[in-house]
Amino acid sequence: MIHRAGLLTLVLLTSGTALASVQDTPVVVTESGVLQNGEMTPRWKQAISDRHDKQALGALFKKSRSITKEEQAWMSFLQTQSVKWVASVPDLNKYFDGITHPRRVTLLFGNQGGDDGFTQGADTICLDLNSWVTNYDAPSSAESADRVMRILSHEYVHLLTKLWIAKHPFPMATPLERTFQELYYEGIGNLFSLSQKWAFRKGRHSEDGTRALEMNVPILVDRLQRLAAATPDEEISLRKGLSAGPFRHKWGALTMALWLSEDQAKDSQSLKRFVQSGPSAVAVFVKDHAGRNALASKKEKSAQ
């Protein structure tokens, strides 16, 4: 590891890696978004600038908050795990043909105003250490390594999706079109956040997955129907909860992720086809899967 200009450069290629994988594996660097005196760096301020209204953002910018011992422990653990995680990047890249995959990815660490993971631009994954301390057990817990791998994959896939959409623009003129793009973007990302409790196995969804679909599919269908005729003002409330809030209640992101997981379990090429189809495929995708869910639920009830 090399310290230079505030960056910790991680050397992430192993001698046993195939040449094709090496060529498609980015260099990962880490950068602190917190100065020695606890103030945010300009880069971290920029990263959180679209996550808060002007008043809240101004208050955050005035706060100084040094990195705590607990946050430092998470930062060290995330840096260590990222060395292992980057080996999986070529497997993520393969779903996104036709774009230039990132050659360098920055992990930007802060401790105010963000979430456990979010992205900035086309090559930066932001990690709010306070969110990790607040929401998860210590890095030493049994679940921590897997959680880091899933969240880094989720956010990296968001970077890839941004690049794919930039090269294949989708209309964003109406509330429904903007919702289709968010469902596409968040569905793909959240697929890689799914832990084993959500896994599609032995031809069926898990109990947690089944309950989430029963709760969220009707909401998704209802919201899309209403968004088709919504005004921009109505759009805000109708899209609320699509990809934010408690994970099991993300009526758009989780539903799409569970359906994508089901398809991928049945056909390993299905995700690649979905990615390449773009947001324009979301309407048919939702209609087909919602119909299947309704039929499966009807059969299950009649069998009882």
Side-chain angles (χ1 to χ4, degrees):
M1 294 184 286
I2 306 169
H3 293 270
R4 187 174 297 159
L7 296 179
L8 175 63
T9 302
L10 304 177
V11 181
L12 301 169
L13 304 179
T14 63
S15 59
T17 306
L19 179 60
S21 295
V22 170
Q23 292 173 338
D24 209 22
T25 302
V27 171
V28 174
V29 299
T30 67
E31 178 180 345
S32 177
V34 184
L35 297 172
Q36 290 281 348
N37 62 3
E39 293 181 2
M40 300 179 193
T41 65
R43 187 104 186 266
W44 186 260
K45 288 181 179 180
Q46 183 182 10
I48 66 170
S49 63
D50 63 350
R51 306 177 68 81
H52 304 277
D53 62 38
K54 187 175 181 179
Q55 184 176 358
L57 201 61
L60 278 169
F61 287 172
K62 293 176 182 178
K63 290 174 63 176
S64 295
R65 189 175 182 280
S66 298
I67 293 177
T68 67
K69 184 184 298 185
E70 293 79 10
E71 290 168 353
Q72 180 62 55
W74 264 115
M75 182 161 62
S76 298
F77 187 73
L78 284 156
Q79 289 171 342
T80 300
Q81 292 302 308
S82 70
V83 178
K84 302 175 183 178
W85 164 78
V86 79
S88 69
V89 166
D91 287 333
L92 303 176
N93 287 341
K94 69 184 181 184
Y95 300 113
F96 294 82
D97 286 344
I99 62 170
T100 300
H101 304 136
R103 302 306 306 141
R104 172 187 172 107
V105 173
T106 298
L107 303 185
L108 177 62
F109 294 101
N111 64 353
Q112 295 189 75
D115 292 320
D116 52 5
F118 56 106
T119 62
Q120 180 193 27
D123 61 1
T124 301
I125 296 173
C126 306
L127 302 156
D128 187 322
L129 297 167
N130 183 50
S131 180
W132 287 80
V133 172
T134 302
N135 294 308
Y136 306 128
D137 294 333
S140 57
S141 69
E143 301 83 9
S144 292
D146 180 64
R147 177 174 288 115
V148 170
M149 297 298 182
R150 288 186 285 108
I151 290 177
L152 289 179
S153 293
H154 175 146
E155 299 305 335
Y156 179 76
V157 166
H158 275 338
L159 295 179
L160 294 176
T161 309
K162 286 183 184 181
L163 291 169
W164 198 94
I165 291 174
K167 191 169 182 179
H168 306 86
F170 176 75
M172 296 275 282
T174 69
L176 190 60
E177 288 171 340
R178 290 188 284 273
T179 303
F180 284 153
Q181 179 148 311
E182 186 178 3
L183 287 169
Y184 174 80
Y185 179 83
E186 294 292 349
I188 297 171
N190 279 270
L191 169 63
F192 292 93
S193 280
L194 297 178
S195 65
Q196 285 302 305
K197 71 180 284 186
W198 302 103
F200 185 89
R201 290 191 297 264
K202 297 180 180 179
R204 62 185 300 143
H205 288 284
S206 66
E207 290 185 11
D208 289 279
T210 299
R211 284 196 293 268
L213 288 171
E214 289 174 349
M215 174 174 61
N216 291 320
V217 171
I219 299 173
L220 171 59
V221 172
D222 174 69
R223 296 293 177 88
L224 290 179
Q225 289 173 343
R226 293 162 67 188
L227 280 159
T231 66
D233 288 338
E234 294 169 333
E235 176 186 1
I236 297 173
S237 60
L238 287 173
R239 286 174 60 181
K240 186 176 181 180
L242 186 157
S243 60
F247 191 66
R248 69 178 58 253
H249 293 291
K250 292 182 179 181
W251 53 264
L254 177 56
T255 302
M256 293 291 291
L258 290 170
W259 284 339
L260 289 169
S261 173
E262 175 183 351
D263 287 357
Q264 190 68 0
K266 295 175 179 177
D267 177 359
S268 62
Q269 296 301 308
S270 65
L271 179 59
K272 189 170 186 176
R273 289 195 299 270
F274 180 80
V275 169
Q276 298 300 315
S277 297
S280 60
V282 170
V284 172
F285 181 87
V286 170
K287 182 179 179 180
D288 288 349
H289 286 76
R292 283 189 229 166
N293 264 95
L295 182 60
S297 179
K298 186 176 180 179
K299 286 182 177 178
E300 187 171 330
K301 288 178 180 178
S302 63
Q304 292 175 350

